[in-house]
Amino acid sequence: MAGSNEINLNECKMVVPLNTWVLISNFKLAYNILRRPDGTFNRHLAEFLDRKVPANANPVDGVFSFDVLIDRGTGLLIRIYRPATGEEPQLNIVDLEKPVTAEVVPVIIFFHGGSFAHSSANSTIYDYLCRILVGTCKAVVVSVNYRRAPENRYPCAYDDGWTVLKWVNSRSWLQSRKDSKVHIYLAGDSSGGNIAHHVALKAVESGIGIMGNILLNPMFGGQERTESEKRLDGKYFVTLRDRDWYWRAFLPEGSDRDHPACNPFGPNGISLEGVKFPKSLVVVAGFDLVQDWQLAYVEGLKKAGQEVKLLYMEQATIGFYLLPNNDHFHVVMDEISNFVRSDC
Amino acid sequence: MVLYDSTALAGNSSGSSSSSSSKPPPPPLQPQQQQEIDGLLAGAGYKVRSSELRKVAQRLERLETAMVNSPADFSQLASDTIHYNPSDLASWVDSLLSEFAQPPTCPSEFVMDPVTNQTVVNDAWTTTEPNMPQVHQNISYEQQSLNNQLTVVTAMEEDSGIRLVHMLMTCAECIQRGDFSLATSFLEDMQGLLTRVNTVCGIGKVAGHFIDALGRRIFQGIGGGSINGGSAYENEILYHHFYEACPYLKFAHFTANQAILEAFDGHDCVHVVDFNLMHGLQWPALIQALALRPGGPPLLRLTGIGPPSPDGRDSLREIGLRLAELARSVNVRFAFRGVAASRLEDVKPWMLEVNPKESVAVNSIMQLHRLLGSEPNRNSPVETVLSWIRSLNPKIMTVVEQEANHNQPGFLDRFTEALHYYSTMFDSLEACTVQPDKALAEIYIQREITNVVSCEGSARVERHEPLARWRTRLSGAGFRPLHLGSNAYKQASMLLTLFSAEGYSVEENDGCLTLGWHSRPLIAASAWQALSDAPAEFPAPDTHRPS
């Protein structure tokens, strides 16, 4: 097992504001308690500790939300966020699914992070992030409450993403006036970014058009130990050991990290040359230990002739986008907004 | 006799503690104190006072060190310990630290400044204070609830279902405006549409009940008609089937019993006051748990409050006798007393015959909301009842309420909230296949719907209010929260998995537990303790109970 257990607390203290440090350290501590060495997960305690917030069909700061049960069998729930137009005095089920009115309305299907094991669509941190996305992108956001590892391994999360994509694509009320089509973007942070990539792959195979992919600190990896993993192991909230644990929990039993789910451009990956893959915006944090894999992903897309923009945030750690108290947050939100609005 | 000065507690966060300075100040009681809380962390679901951020950070650091030094032990200990209220990050971190037998405040955190000879905090955090304007999104969940939350979970509806909902809302709006003739024509349209909609499940099912309720309101007026005249016997039957058909009442009983059991730990004379005995379904489990407790069971007295029986039967006594029989069979000394009252506000504390040496638990399962009169500011029954509960100085008061805002003054708001709440509840009932439990449970729920929609004034008793409001009210009445922990959470979750369909979820909410259907909490359970006035007895500020 590569990487040391040494914690160099002083380094990460210097680069994030105090409240961010407290938030992410709290997660780090809690997550450590939840992961068991035998690969099982203390799900009850995880759900107890996770802070959640219900949907609110009354607008708060111009955004309202409601949940939809897409699949009773798997309990697949999504949370839809919409901008309030300020006209409707009272909302009811009819208004919730009122057709979008603009010529072009981006619909962002969002996959929350948590390394495939943690968090939910109704986690407070992700509810907050989705609301921000609605405001900055003037978009409808659909947050997916996908099934998590280790109870539900690959490909459950991808399947859930695919189910939601089909659902969103078939909603007449989400169609942009311009072309009566739903303008879909796939977005996600950490494991959510990984899911976005794989759902886009499936979409391409099936002929559903995706306008773009937005990957925020996406979770990728591989069997090899990269330079960034060795250099940054344990320095900025994340250790290689925990990354390994989550891959073992998500990937099929007996797989290694060169499984294409983990390493899409690795030895078992498929080529994207000639494939009509959506344009991608990939955000990489300079203090994220898996950045070499994320950069390799960007290279892989480029080599296959795909349109990709890399946003490398040198001084950013994981989770920088969870609180709006740093410049990286605002830069990235602007970039995402431009990425999405450029088609409007 | 405990004297209670409500003004002293309501506005003053430091309470009445005036004793020795070695006692740390008590935690803030009132939501106003949230001004000091870090707004960004609050937006993420954590309440940490800005002034405490550094301290919390230092303790997190110490926990990390402990973790690194002995990872296996840490994991084990931290998993096995009982966690309370994760939103209160400072307390959570402190409780973990104390698990590792490290005192929360340790002098080595500070170094002596050789020049000034004063202790200086030793840390290396960047001192950049966020220069952000107050972001409105960062209001806590509690604030949001007070600001008119409306939670909707829908399954996909057919067009006719959606049309029906639209008509329901429009009809309700007409009623609010006083346009009864237009409302009546909508009613007729809806009754017609209902024949063409799937009424077996989904919105069609619950729509029928709402159409009925609107009809009552229009034609029979808001006096309540015969709905509340249902006999106590009928109510009990419906209640029993509601109990069987879905887990809401079982969750309420189970969670309350857990809390009561813990509160009674170490006490030999205990007295439970049940605000609504019904068939006493809650108590066999408590009696059995007390029988099995290490050190032996206490003497248990149970006082059950319920409506008087009309036909000369003493149904309260009958239930009491059955419970006594059970207690005898497990060797628990038991005494029962029934208090017959048609309304909770008619009960006077002397009727309960509480002995000052007993530890008292007051148990209210969906009863307190009935005390919220239509005129909330004039010595409402709830203030009176909460006051005498407090005078009993109970060790614990368990409160379970519907997690809904059905007491809003505006009819349309109330109607909308009820439509979504009850359609979620009906949706959860779909999973039940046992008859006649399911059918009778539906009638039980239907009665609530009818009361919320078609009654006003004293006839409207189903005045449900959300947890956030109850917190404010109970804190203001001199109670402090006793947090329900991860053990109660886990057991409730496990019971659900064993006995109920998929889709139910237990959530932790600032020390309370809620049970809901998918992402919508429907029932909230909380536990409280009366604050004592005597300074010497002022409770320590930690909100954890002995484990």
Side-chain angles (χ1 to χ4, degrees), chain B residues 84-161:
Chain B
Y84 293 97
N85 195 4
S87 282
D88 183 354
L89 203 43
S91 298
W92 183 68
V93 170
D94 283 353
S95 71
L96 279 179
L97 267 176
S98 60
E99 280 295 316
F100 286 89
Q102 295 188 34
T105 43
C106 178
S108 60
E109 278 175 0
F110 301 86
V111 295
M112 287 294 273
D113 182 316
V115 175
T116 61
N117 255 347
Q118 288 185 335
T119 52
V120 172
V121 170
N122 178 22
D123 67 65
W125 278 283
T126 54
T127 50
T128 46
E129 287 306 306
N131 233 344
M132 311 305 304
Q134 187 60 20
V135 181
H136 290 301
Q137 272 107 337
N138 294 320
I139 49 177
S140 65
Y141 169 47
E142 207 167 287
Q143 270 312 116
Q144 270 202 22
S145 288
L146 292 170
N147 294 347
N148 199 15
Q149 176 103 21
L150 177 62
T151 304
V152 178
V153 182
T154 78
M156 293 154 300
E157 300 296 343
E158 317 159 354
D159 285 338
S160 50

Side-chain angles (χ1 to χ4, degrees), chain A residues 60-63 124 127-128 130-133 135 324, chain B residues 39 42-44 134-141 144:
Chain A
V60 175
D61 289 325
V63 181
T124 313
D127 185 86
Y128 176 70
C130 287
R131 285 170 174 273
I132 300 264
L133 285 174
Chain B
Q134 187 60 20
V135 181
H136 290 301
Q137 272 107 337
N138 294 320
I139 49 177
S140 65
Y141 169 47
Q144 270 202 22

Side-chain angles (χ1 to χ4, degrees), chain B residues 235-257 260 272 274-289 302 304-305 315-316 318-320 322-323 326 334 336 363 365-366 437 444:
Chain B
N235 287 340
E236 281 177 25
I237 303 254
L238 293 176
Y239 183 91
H240 201 129
H241 290 282
F242 179 68
Y243 178 91
E244 292 296 338
C246 46
Y248 302 107
L249 288 176
K250 292 178 200 124
F251 166 80
H253 293 174
F254 174 80
T255 309
N257 284 347
I260 293 172
V272 175
D274 187 358
F275 274 7
N276 187 27
L277 186 69
M278 283 291 186
H279 290 166
L281 293 171
Q282 181 172 350
W283 307 118
L286 183 70
I287 292 171
Q288 278 158 348
L302 174 65
I305 300 172
S315 55
L316 288 174
E318 282 171 21
I319 310 286
R322 272 195 263 139
L323 289 172
L326 169 67
F334 179 80
F336 176 83
N363 182 73
I365 310 287
M366 308 197 309
D437 288 337
Y444 175 87

Side-chain angles (χ1 to χ4, degrees), chain A residues 7 9 13-14 16 19 21 26 28 32 44 47-48 51 54-58 61 67-69 72 124 167, chain B residues 38 43 46 61 64 67-68 87 92 124-126 136-137 148-152 154 156 427 489 508 519:
Chain A
I7 295 219
L9 298 167
K13 275 192 242 175
M14 303 293 248
V16 294
N19 47 13
W21 194 93
N26 160 60
K28 175 178 160 189
N32 247 292
H44 287 126
E47 293 306 295
F48 178 82
R51 306 292 78 207
N56 193 350
N58 288 328
D61 289 325
D67 294 342
V68 184
L69 184 58
R72 272 183 201 277
T124 313
W167 186 90
Chain B
D38 182 283
Y46 297 95
E61 228 181 336
E64 283 184 43
M67 190 168 81
V68 163
S87 282
W92 183 68
W125 278 283
T126 54
H136 290 301
Q137 272 107 337
N148 199 15
Q149 176 103 21
L150 177 62
T151 304
V152 178
T154 78
M156 293 154 300
D427 204 41
Y489 177 93
E508 194 282 342
S519 56

Side-chain angles (χ1 to χ4, degrees), chain A residues 140-155:
Chain A
V140 172
V141 174
V142 178
S143 186
V144 182
N145 199 41
Y146 58 87
R147 282 169 293 166
R148 298 161 302 184
E151 301 95 319
N152 299 289
R153 293 175 175 270
Y154 164 95

